[in-house]
Amino acid sequence: MNRCSGCGYIVPASWTECRKCGTRFAAAPVPVAAAIGFAGAPDDALIAGARPRAVVPDTMLPRDDPLVGRAPVQPPSRFNAKNIGVAAIAAVIVIAGVYSAIPLGGHAKQPPTVLAPRSPAAGIPTTLSDVVRIAAESARHTALTTVVAAAGATGAPLTLEQLASEQPNYQWIAGAEPSTTNTVISLTSGTGIDVIAVSGTDRDICAFGRWSPAIGTEYVTMAHVDNCSATNAPTNGWSSQPGGRAQDLPGPDGF
């Protein structure tokens, strides 16, 4: 096989004329091995705008042609999928924080509500709110029993230190301070009457109790209470029903 000296087309050795460009061969066509890179092909056979080719071996690598240059490398965009995803998550967190600080019409906190008395033998609780309430009322029962025993028949005023020594399992605080869980007891004590407040662990339930030699013990439990302190006890809704757990109540023999 040879190569046409006019157009570089590969032709059989027996041809005397290139059947592609019509060039007649006065001499033998250029052997292919000597024509690597299309040596001798006229530049007017190239596509428009291409630069003349040098008579050098063709390495088959891309040429750095100014007319057919590579596209400039673009710097990586800051707006890629990862950055957009991170920004979106941050925006959701900010919006959620703003909305959690703004009470909406459908999620406004409910007003304080007196709950109906619940018997200690009412059965197994079916909701988390019932469980929290029973635990708060049980703690109220234990705390009020301690208050009655310490005050005696005359109902003498009590001190926080006195009650802490009588019942060290609880933290006793002044009545103006709010209870924050069912082991913190808010207390006001005066001649003839003592009032306690015990918060549920959800800080929504508040179990109030009071005692005096004249009326004995009374109880009221409320929901949606912001300030579970003894000084915030209600004036209405009191009952002799202690609530709590059945095992908190004395048996037939008084124990």
Side-chain angles (χ1 to χ4, degrees), residues 81-170:
K82 179 179 179 181
N83 291 343
I84 292 174
V86 172
I89 293 173
V92 169
I93 294 174
V94 171
I95 293 173
V98 171
Y99 274 90
S100 65
I102 301 176
L104 302 180
H107 302 280
K109 185 171 178 62
Q110 302 179 47
T113 304
V114 173
L115 301 177
R118 184 183 186 280
S119 169
I124 299 175
T126 57
T127 67
L128 178 60
S129 180
D130 287 341
V131 173
V132 171
R133 174 182 179 178
I134 290 172
E137 291 178 343
S138 180
R140 173 183 64 188
H141 177 270
T142 303
L144 200 58
T145 300
T146 303
V147 169
V148 173
T154 60
L158 304 172
T159 65
L160 300 178
E161 293 75 18
Q162 179 184 358
L163 292 170
S165 64
E166 295 285 342
Q167 180 50 267
N169 293 330
Y170 291 153

Side-chain angles (χ1 to χ4, degrees), residues 3 21 42 51 53 84 91 101 112 129 132 165 175 190 204 211 213 223 244:
R3 189 178 297 278
C21 66
R51 71 181 183 180
R53 293 171 294 191
I84 292 174
S129 180
V132 171
S165 64
D204 184 72
W211 175 84

Side-chain angles (χ1 to χ4, degrees), residues 7 23 25 33 35 44 47 55 64 104 106 116 119 151 160 164 211 234 249-250:
C7 65
T23 300
F25 307 137
D44 58 2
I47 61 173
V55 183
D64 190 13
L104 302 180
S119 169
L160 300 178
W211 175 84
L249 301 179

